[in-house]
Amino acid sequence: MKDLETDLEQRRVDGLYRRRRVIESAQGIETRIDGKNLLSFCSNDYLGLANHPEIKQACLDAVTDHGVGSGAAHLINGHSRLHEACEQRLAEFSGRERALLFSTGYMANIALASTLLGRNDFIYQDKLNHASLIDSAKLSNARLIRYRHNDMRQLETLLSESPRGRRRLVMVDAVFSMDGDCADVETISKLALEYNAWSMVDDAHGFGVLGARGAGLLEHLQLDQQQVPILMATLGKAVGTAGAFVAGSEVLIETLIQKARPYIYTTASPPAIAAATLKSIDLIERDSWRREKLNDSIAYFREQAGTLELELMPSQSAIQPLVVGDNHKALALSESLFEQGIHVTAIRPPTVPAGSARLRVTLSAAHEREHIDRLIKHLKLLL
Ligand SMILES: Cc1ncc(COP(=O)(O)O)c(C=O)c1O
């Protein structure tokens, strides 16, 4: 254990030590943490649905009828009528043949690469992909090849160099979780089709927020199941509930049900979560005003933050990082904002590359202009 102590101490010295804060209120833009009332800019609850009364009621009603725990894995007797209905709704909403629920996005990603590929196969990933995609490739035993961020020429070169006849999968974040910019999914889809590879998009940060009905980046770009055969999206961010789903062809989903270990060997998530998700999808599809309001806030934040002495990133999404660089400085800024009643987390390596520590500001449809003004005013005082 001495080794571990030294390791932890080194993290402190490097400004990399992480600490959990205890949230005492529901998710929302106004939270209470460690006994302090805060204005929050660090949740992925982009539409402000995590504490929505209709979604909570749907969840409570389902608990009354179905209890809390699912009791078993989906293939034993944990697959409830609500899970089934939720999968059908997600398939229809995302314009895919079928969908499959997972307990977390991390597990869904692990399931994909490790079920569909093996030794001697090839996986191509953007350097800025989420850790769960990287881990999924590692667990698959396939060869992981990473290309420079959004560098489509390099991806094409790499695809053209690898031997044909092997399975090849390109996996990418739709919206990069720590930078907020989008992948060039149209080109990725074209290249994958040209070089006989599959493409997979992780729409964790686009689902609910992008597209005319909120069905995500693929809806926005009008890319169907033939063009992007594998879609994964999480439900714990804009949808405001928990878990994730994979959507695609009948063959893809049936293969995952039969073979994916992170699907088979785990207890199904509570059926009430599926009921909450069903209600949330209805609200997302019905109410475009939340997406419009969020887009207004994104534009307003970028306009106001342009006057700060911190670098804005080229992001049009709800993720608006402000790059600080130094780990200690990013942490100190986050702590000072916290003292002023504003919560923005500092993101440090290894989540982002060394030397690019940042304040990851996330916006929500629940934010008003005066909230953004408050954040900018305090940042100006601190810089
Ligand atoms: C791009 C991306 N993929 C996957 C995940 C994992 O999803 P989950 O939190 O549901 O495990 C996250 C974040 O959590 C993410 O940002």
Side-chain angles (χ1 to χ4, degrees), residues 353-380:
S356 72
R358 63 198 68 179
L359 294 175
R360 180 177 182 265
V361 173
T362 52
L363 297 165
S364 152
H367 284 123
E368 303 294 341
R369 286 191 170 200
E370 69 234 33
H371 296 132
I372 296 172
D373 291 342
R374 226 169 103 193
L375 169 65
I376 300 286
K377 182 184 95 186
H378 283 289
L379 277 168
K380 278 191 175 148

Side-chain angles (χ1 to χ4, degrees), residues 11-22:
R11 283 190 161 240
R12 282 199 188 87
V13 171
D14 295 340
L16 293 176
Y17 202 82
R18 291 156 194 241
R19 184 162 81 84
R20 299 176 302 173
R21 294 194 188 272
V22 179

Side-chain angles (χ1 to χ4, degrees), residues 111-123:
L112 280 169
S114 61
T115 307
L116 302 179
L117 293 96
R119 216 173 287 286
N120 301 327
D121 295 330
F122 290 82
I123 296 180

